[in-house]
Amino acid sequence: MTEYDTGDRGGSGLVGSLRRALTHLVELAHTRLELLSVEMEARLLNSRHVMLWSVVALFSVSLTMLMFSVTVLIVFWDTHRLLAAGAITAFFALMAVAAALVVRHRVRERPRLLAATISELRADAASLSESG
């Protein structure tokens, strides 16, 4: 065999080095894809729980607010029914504005999707560019 052997057995030749480099790149891609799938599963599970409990909370709060409004109107029916109805309406309008502001803040401040995966891929690219 010569020093320019192609390295079919994974030896020290050029082809062997390329195979090892390719193997490392495949392993690296496999690890990153596993991280991606774990992040996606976690995000999906969290989203399901949030949606379920949001529906339960909205239903319960809606019934509570409806019953409270009816109770207040019944209490003030003979004396100040228009004032009570206006106060209830103003309260719900303020709650709607506050909820909209909270939602806007939460949407702006949410963590980036796949942040860990992107960070690891950047680190991989940086280490590959340093060694290349």
Side-chain angles (χ1 to χ4, degrees):
M1 301 234 164
T2 66
E3 65 182 72
Y4 300 107
D5 186 13
T6 57
D8 288 335
R9 294 178 309 261
S12 61
L14 178 63
V15 174
S17 295
L18 288 175
R19 279 189 189 156
R20 284 192 301 277
L22 184 60
T23 301
H24 290 302
L25 285 175
V26 168
E27 289 173 357
L28 183 68
H30 183 260
T31 303
R32 296 310 174 236
L33 286 174
E34 283 181 357
L35 178 61
L36 174 70
S37 76
V38 168
E39 281 190 74
M40 292 300 290
E41 286 177 16
R43 178 69 67 125
L44 184 62
L45 183 62
N46 185 44
S47 296
R48 285 182 194 163
H49 286 134
V50 167
M51 291 299 291
L52 174 68
W53 286 108
S54 295
V55 168
V56 169
L58 285 172
F59 180 73
S60 299
V61 166
S62 296
L63 285 178
T64 302
M65 292 187 323
L66 176 68
M67 294 308 296
F68 177 74
S69 299
V70 169
T71 303
V72 169
L73 285 175
I74 290 170
V75 168
F76 290 107
W77 189 258
D78 290 332
T79 57
H80 303 293
R81 67 178 161 240
L82 291 177
L83 179 62
I88 291 169
T89 302
F91 172 75
F92 287 134
L94 288 174
M95 289 300 293
V97 169
L101 291 174
V102 167
V103 167
R104 186 179 75 174
H105 173 73
R106 298 290 296 189
V107 167
R108 288 183 179 174
E109 298 298 321
R110 72 179 182 270
R112 287 186 59 202
L113 182 63
L114 308 174
T117 300
I118 292 170
S119 173
E120 289 299 320
L121 288 173
R122 282 192 181 132
D124 294 342
S127 68
L128 285 174
S129 67
E130 288 174 3
S131 64

